[in-house]
Amino acid sequence: MDRRSFMGATGTVAAGLLGGATATTGAQSGTLEEIEILTDEYGVSHVYADDVYSLSYGNGYVQARDRLFQMDALRLVGRGESARWLGPAQLPSDIEVRRDLYSREEINRQWEDASETTKEALRGFADGVNRRMVELAAQGELPGEFAALGRAPEPWKPEDSIAFINYAIGFFGVNGGSHLSSARTLAEMFDNFDTEAEAWDAYGDLNRVVVPEDHYGSVGEHEVDGTDERALDYDEVSDGQLAAIRAAKDAVPWGLDDQDVTVPDGVTEGLREARGMLEGFRFGSNAIIVDDEHSAHDKPILGAGPQMGLFKPPIPYEIGLHGAGFDVVGMGVVAAPALVIGRTPEIAWTVTTSGDEMIDTIAVELDEDDRHRYRWDGEWHEMSTEQVTHYTSPVGGVAQGETDPGSYDVVRQEVARVEQEGTSMPVIAWNPEENIAYCQRPTTRMEELEGAFMWAEVGRSNSIDEFESYLSEFPFGFNFHVVSDDEIAFFRTGKLPERRGDADPRLPKPPAEHDWGGFDVGTNVGASVRNPDRGYVVNWNNAPAAGWRESSTEQQWGTVHRVDVMARLVEEALDRTGGELTRQDVADIVEDCGVEHPYAPRSVPAMVDAVQPGHVDGQLKAMGEELQKWADIDYSFRPGSDGTYDNGGMAIWEETRKELQELVFRDELGEQTPTLNYDPTAIDGQGGGDPHAADHGATVNEDVTLVDAIDDDTEHDWFDVLDGDNRASHKKQRDAVIRKAMQRAAATLEERYDSDDPSDWLLENRQIEFSPLGASNPDRLPMSNRSSYQQSVVIGEGLEHSGSVLPPSNSGHQNAAELVATQAGEEPDRLTDQLDVYANFDYKPHPVTREQVEERAVESETIRAQGHEAADTVRPASDLAIKLLSVPGGGLRAVRDVATQAGWSFDGLLDDVEEGPSGATLDDQASTAADGDETESDASSTDLL
């Protein structure tokens, strides 16, 4: 058998690509307009072209230059085909995508139904990607990860962009859908309380329907519409909804029966969360906009940005697009041709996720003799079904501990849908004993592509009026924060149903109680405000105002929220400056709120109070003193110079908070008691991890009820108060529980630090980590709760008043030789050239005008938009586990080690696999797996969409 060089696949791929057809695709043909590309020292390019096709062509060209391997991985994720290449850790993601999003046929239909302008943008983008792919292959410069994987990059198709657009906006712009998760919590409480009615009342402390009065709203209550929805009393709930709640406790995933495959609870419950290599990817965010009356510049100010996880390279991509009505610079999402956040010469905007409820979960009765028959409105109907086969890479299996690496693991999934109400609803779970299945109805099915290009149009805006007009029918759930020369605006968007059924809206409901009377859409959902009364807006995924409709997510918008720290810092800055903030003031607020704990201020005072002198002495008293030291520095987690935080307060709070979680909630919530994680680098792989600050502010969902219970503001006596109407009695019991938690925490900390002195309990500086999406090395920085892409802008004030930063870099490209050097510790500087800027809470210049761009450019290139279609030559020869893509210590070293474990011969790092343990090459193994009984939708991943 002929041997191939492990890295020599680059040459093979190049020959195949160049040997294929290069015919122009799309409506354009021949030689088109020139495209000028100016690139600055940070690898940020500005594309100048005269039409949409050419502008998108240039965008695709430079994205492929910087992110080709990442783009390839993301389209596999968007298509639900990533486990085939990236290993079994991707299975939950693929199962979720194929169930909740779209088949290839549906993606094709989205393409066919797209407007001609959308098609021109997608065609141009695909042609630009393929043009650059051909050039890289010809030059031997394809990303080295392709060689490591043995994967020939497929030609890029418009449908590939659509697949990842569906994933990015369909998962993270469609909020809510936590009904089954909520029902499982309540069903557990039904078992743990004396009566269901008592449990129901207590559950109201965890999950409201109306945002409470003391929740911080981004605008005034009088500036938004309220809600008519409400939580029901227990005796108002129908027998059908109660049956759906009880059955939720033992619900299992639909369509994975009798197979040795486990998926996270969030997949079973229909929670739209990134998994596998994209664990931690989401669209949370914070934002500050200040009007001209509160600005020292006499111009509005914008700061902050989206929190989308910390990856290397990042999911955002920074670029400037100039022409065809666009004159915009900012960030888009890799694999798509448009910008989502940025600025023009006249306006700037940033975006946060709304969190509004855009999904209903419906519980249907099943025929006890045929689970595919369900009852709807008193009549029986048949589900539509599709069989999907998932394969996982053999090398990836070894990395995950599989004992039989020589064959593909096969998982078969039945995707079932309830076809009612003019839409298709995926079945997510069922209880086979009770014959109840749960399906989900989102408000936006098949609207992702059209919505994405509504969003793209805002880059043409010359005023806030135009900006609002482009989003007037935008159906996805976001908050847009916009500044112009003389005004600011807060636009909340989405597609919110008018719910008219009789069920409790927090929980699954039977079909008879599900009724949508219409929708509020776009900027007309009832919370869009121009020039709000406060003169500024801060938002950190909080509710717009009290009285707004809560989502079904437990403890989301309560009396404590991470936005509180940002709001406090803005008010303090306004007082300090006499009401005139500078751009630097706003940047300082962004910095400070990233390193100050938002929730500890609401629980630490009770801990200190519980161990005041007179109540205790000795160690507990000393613990209270350390907590007070932390409070005196505003609960900061700025890193200490010696590698530890400056006092023991943060370590004491972490451990005490964990103990309180058990003491206060375990009896009532049982197995549904949330687990707390304060280490951002310890992402749990179950959809619950957050790389920004973990439970130090990334989400609020575990602290709301505890804070309310501390304040004696709950329906249920979570501290086991004997007389709930007697505050002194409550405080006595509360303090006793807190002291018990602190004693338990002390035992843990004594052992950890080998000291009984709380001043020695100095927590090591927490770290955040940029996880590799490719064969790069992970980078760590001191923990901060910050944006993945940050802006700082004063409109019309020149280049010195416009900054951005995209850590660790805008580029993720490594050729084969660089990839080998990276494994030896010699990583290309281009992969981290913005990391120090970010670490120092600084910004790089953010040019937008032609003059500013030319001032910063260090490279100029002119190309002509000629379509290129790269040939799809061979099925790739070998697979590499997700370990290469996201696990620290991955890369070529992992390829060698994992393949050696699998029994394949490696004479040296660059030698290819000759044959597998069974004597078959990986080509043969892959072909054997592909010859299985797949449906049409299960075609090889090298087939074109």
Side-chain angles (χ1 to χ4, degrees):
M1 183 178 296
D2 293 337
R3 296 181 60 86
R4 293 186 293 111
S5 166
F6 189 70
M7 306 304 288
T10 303
T12 302
V13 172
L17 290 173
L18 294 175
T22 58
T24 302
T25 61
Q28 310 292 333
S29 61
T31 300
L32 302 180
E33 296 294 327
E34 287 188 346
I35 302 168
E36 185 179 11
I37 302 171
L38 300 179
T39 304
D40 70 15
E41 63 184 303
Y42 292 100
V44 178
S45 292
H46 291 255
V47 179
Y48 293 84
D50 291 336
D51 58 79
V52 169
Y53 176 89
S54 300
L55 199 65
S56 300
Y57 187 105
N59 190 345
Y61 183 84
V62 297
Q63 276 200 39
R65 175 196 70 194
D66 295 330
R67 304 286 191 88
L68 182 59
F69 176 70
Q70 183 189 29
M71 294 170 69
D72 183 62
L74 294 182
R75 67 173 157 183
L76 292 174
V77 170
R79 294 185 332 204
E81 299 171 1
S82 59
R84 182 189 296 267
W85 293 100
L86 310 179
Q90 287 298 117
L91 270 173
S93 176
D94 289 349
I95 288 167
E96 184 178 51
V97 166
R98 293 304 301 269
R99 181 193 71 192
D100 296 342
L101 292 178
Y102 307 112
S103 67
R104 287 194 173 205
E105 291 76 11
E106 289 171 315
I107 293 172
N108 290 339
R109 190 159 70 247
Q110 287 175 297
W111 165 245
E112 292 165 1
D113 293 343
S115 71
E116 191 54 41
T117 299
T118 297
K119 286 183 176 179
E120 285 301 286
L122 292 170
R123 287 189 189 107
F125 184 83
D127 286 345
V129 171
N130 290 328
R131 160 77 172 272
R132 187 57 183 163
M133 195 187 306
V134 168
E135 292 177 356
L136 290 170
Q139 297 159 4
E141 287 288 319
L142 278 171
E145 291 94 340
F146 285 119
L149 281 163
R151 173 172 167 77
E154 308 166 37
W156 195 267
K157 294 292 184 181
E159 293 90 338
D160 292 327
S161 291
I162 295 172
F164 192 64
I165 286 170
N166 287 337
Y167 182 86
I169 198 171
F171 267 20
F172 309 110
V174 183
N175 306 296
S178 300
H179 309 89
L180 183 54
S181 174
S182 298
R184 295 175 97 170
T185 301
L186 182 52
E188 182 85 22
M189 294 174 70
F190 280 172
D191 289 346
N192 295 336
F193 279 73
D194 291 337
T195 67
E196 287 188 350
E198 183 183 356
W200 184 274
D201 290 343
Y203 184 72
D205 295 334
L206 302 174
N207 198 343
R208 302 174 173 91
V209 174
V210 181
V211 175
E213 287 294 328
D214 42 5
H215 177 83
Y216 179 87
S218 292
V219 294
E221 186 175 356
H222 66 284
E223 294 175 295
V224 304
D225 296 340
T227 179
D228 294 330
E229 295 187 54
R230 65 182 183 90
L232 301 185
D233 293 332
Y234 177 75
D235 58 9
E236 296 179 284
V237 185
S238 70
D239 291 340
Q241 188 166 32
L242 286 172
I245 294 166
R246 297 180 188 118
K249 183 177 178 181
D250 297 320
V252 296
W254 180 276
L256 299 174
D257 307 342
D258 302 323
Q259 296 183 86
D260 186 19
V261 58
T262 301
V263 297
D265 287 344
V267 174
T268 304
E269 295 160 356
L271 305 181
R272 297 192 172 203
E273 298 172 338
R275 307 181 196 280
M277 64 180 282
L278 292 181
E279 183 73 33
F281 172 47
R282 59 192 64 196
F283 213 112
S285 312
N286 56 30
I288 303 173
I289 53 175
V290 180
D291 68 14
D292 53 355
E293 292 184 9
H294 294 85
S295 167
H297 307 279
D298 295 324
K299 304 284 186 182
I301 309 169
L302 176 145
Q307 291 181 283
M308 301 174 66
L310 299 174
F311 298 102
K312 183 181 181 184
I315 301 297
Y317 182 77
E318 191 169 16
I319 192 170
L321 300 177
H322 308 272
F326 293 92
D327 194 12
V328 60
V329 60
M331 57 144 283
V333 176
V334 172
L339 274 68
V340 296
I341 288 173
R343 67 159 302 180
T344 73
E346 290 80 21
I347 67 167
W349 75 97
T350 191
V351 181
T352 66
T353 299
S354 73
D356 286 331
E357 190 66 38
M358 297 171 58
I359 300 174
D360 269 7
T361 303
I362 304 167
V364 294
E365 176 190 352
L366 303 179
D367 186 332
E368 62 181 13
D369 296 320
D370 181 358
R371 72 173 190 174
H372 297 104
R373 279 169 47 85
Y374 65 93
R375 191 190 300 271
W376 192 283
D377 289 343
E379 297 182 359
W380 291 100
H381 303 266
E382 289 283 339
M383 296 177 185
S384 64
T385 61
E386 174 191 8
Q387 302 300 317
V388 178
T389 303
H390 301 278
Y391 299 104
T392 66
S393 92
V395 180
V398 173
Q400 300 297 324
E402 296 291 331
T403 58
D404 183 17
S407 63
Y408 274 64
D409 285 332
V410 177
V411 172
R412 303 192 186 280
Q413 174 189 12
E414 180 185 82
V415 175
R417 300 190 187 279
V418 168
E419 310 281 354
Q420 295 290 338
E421 306 293 332
T423 191
S424 180
M425 297 175 252
V427 181
I428 58 172
W430 70 310
N431 184 320
E433 297 299 321
E434 301 296 332
N435 291 309
I436 292 177
Y438 301 88
C439 61
Q440 288 190 324
R441 182 185 181 185
T443 62
T444 55
R445 183 164 176 80
M446 293 293 282
E447 296 184 28
E448 286 84 358
L449 183 62
E450 183 181 5
F453 278 86
M454 290 180 191
W455 194 345
E457 288 290 299
V458 302
R460 300 179 187 264
S461 303
N462 293 309
S463 68
I464 290 182
D465 286 339
E466 290 183 0
F467 190 98
E468 182 177 11
S469 70
Y470 288 127
L471 295 176
S472 61
E473 299 297 323
F474 180 66
F476 294 94
F478 294 97
N479 301 302
F480 291 83
H481 303 75
V482 196
V483 300
S484 70
D485 184 67
D486 59 357
E487 65 175 329
I488 67 174
F490 171 84
F491 297 123
R492 195 173 184 92
T493 62
K495 187 174 183 182
L496 308 185
E498 179 189 347
R499 292 180 172 88
R500 301 189 304 195
D502 297 327
D504 190 291
R506 300 168 294 181
L507 300 154
K509 60 191 69 174
E513 298 174 43
H514 165 73
D515 183 21
W516 289 353
F519 304 94
D520 293 324
V521 183
T523 56
N524 301 304
V525 298
S528 293
V529 184
R530 302 275 284 265
N531 300 314
D533 290 346
R534 284 195 189 115
Y536 66 86
V537 174
V538 298
N539 186 273
W540 208 341
N541 309 124
N542 53 290
W548 189 252
R549 167 44 158 108
E550 281 256 29
S551 83
S552 58
T553 303
E554 293 165 354
Q555 306 187 83
Q556 179 169 322
W557 290 330
T559 57
V560 59
H561 197 279
R562 62 183 179 180
V563 74
D564 298 339
V565 66
M566 181 174 280
R568 174 181 61 81
L569 289 168
V570 169
E571 284 295 330
E572 290 175 355
L574 288 169
D575 289 343
R576 185 177 62 252
T577 63
E580 293 191 347
L581 301 182
T582 65
R583 173 176 168 259
Q584 187 60 52
D585 290 326
V586 172
D588 290 344
I589 292 167
V590 172
E591 176 179 349
D592 289 344
C593 74
V595 293
E596 290 188 17
H597 207 292
Y599 315 136
R602 296 291 298 276
S603 55
V604 165
M607 296 176 189
V608 173
D609 187 54
V611 295
Q612 286 293 310
H615 295 286
V616 298
D617 54 20
Q619 190 179 60
L620 284 181
K621 175 184 173 183
M623 290 172 72
E625 291 170 351
E626 289 299 304
L627 286 168
Q628 188 58 54
K629 290 178 184 177
W630 191 34
D632 291 343
I633 58 171
D634 293 326
Y635 304 95
S636 173
F637 45 81
R638 290 183 188 276
S641 58
D642 63 351
T644 63
Y645 293 112
D646 293 337
N647 58 71
M650 188 164 159
I652 293 168
W653 184 85
E654 282 190 2
E655 294 306 318
T656 302
R657 181 64 190 84
K658 291 177 183 177
E659 296 296 341
L660 283 173
Q661 192 76 352
E662 295 299 308
L663 291 170
V664 176
F665 297 115
R666 176 63 66 177
D667 286 348
E668 289 86 348
L669 303 187
E671 294 302 314
Q672 300 302 315
T673 304
T675 300
L676 299 174
N677 170 27
Y678 293 112
D679 183 358
T681 64
I683 302 302
D684 62 14
Q686 301 296 307
D690 192 295
H692 291 278
D695 287 328
H696 281 299
T699 60
V700 72
N701 303 71
E702 285 80 34
D703 282 80
V704 168
T705 304
L706 179 73
V707 166
D708 287 347
I710 286 173
D711 293 342
D712 195 16
D713 189 23
T714 55
E715 186 72 24
H716 175 65
D717 296 330
W718 296 93
F719 284 100
D720 294 326
V721 182
L722 296 177
D723 182 358
D725 295 327
N726 186 322
R727 187 161 186 82
S729 176
H730 164 81
K731 183 179 185 305
K732 182 178 179 180
Q733 181 68 19
R734 182 197 72 184
D735 289 354
V737 173
I738 289 174
R739 285 192 291 271
K740 185 175 182 179
M742 293 179 71
Q743 289 167 344
R744 290 184 177 183
T748 299
L749 293 167
E750 279 186 28
E751 181 177 356
R752 179 185 303 167
Y753 293 100
D754 194 24
S755 171
D756 61 3
D757 184 352
S759 66
D760 291 336
W761 300 343
L762 302 181
L763 187 69
E764 290 187 5
N765 294 338
R766 291 291 194 199
Q767 302 283 302
I768 56 175
E769 182 173 280
F770 292 86
S771 300
L773 290 180
S776 58
N777 296 318
D779 292 305
R780 289 192 173 187
L781 294 176
M783 181 176 73
S784 60
N785 194 8
R786 302 171 62 195
S787 307
S788 309
Y789 169 77
Q790 289 192 191
Q791 291 172 284
S792 179
V793 178
V794 179
I795 292 294
E797 288 293 300
L799 188 56
E800 70 274 15
H801 287 289
S802 184
S804 66
V805 61
L806 178 61
S809 173
N810 204 38
S811 176
H813 178 78
Q814 300 180 84
N815 63 27
E818 290 170 329
L819 190 148
V820 173
T822 290
Q823 305 309 302
E826 298 294 330
E827 193 173 71
D829 290 341
R830 79 172 78 90
L831 301 188
T832 54
D833 60 9
Q834 296 187 52
L835 197 59
D836 286 345
V837 178
Y838 185 80
N840 293 326
F841 293 89
D842 206 349
Y843 299 83
K844 69 183 193 324
H846 189 54
V848 63
T849 67
R850 176 74 188 215
E851 180 181 9
Q852 292 170 348
V853 171
E854 289 179 347
E855 179 183 337
R856 302 296 309 173
V858 297
E859 182 182 331
S860 175
E861 181 180 9
T862 300
I863 61 174
R864 290 185 181 274
Q866 185 177 35
H868 286 72
E869 185 169 335
D872 183 18
T873 55
V874 294
R875 184 179 178 88
S878 67
D879 295 333
L880 179 60
I882 190 173
K883 186 173 182 179
L884 173 67
L885 296 174
S886 62
V887 179
L892 289 183
R893 194 172 291 111
V895 178
R896 179 196 61 202
D897 295 344
V898 171
T900 299
Q901 292 179 55
W904 298 315
S905 172
F906 261 60
D907 294 337
L909 181 62
L910 303 185
D911 292 334
D912 198 352
V913 177
E914 185 171 68
E915 61 182 24
S918 63
T921 67
L922 291 183
D923 277 330
D924 296 335
Q925 296 171 35
S927 297
T928 300
D931 289 338
D933 56 341
E934 300 179 78
T935 65
E936 182 178 351
S937 65
D938 301 317
S940 164
S941 62
T942 56
D943 293 341
L944 301 181
L945 282 169

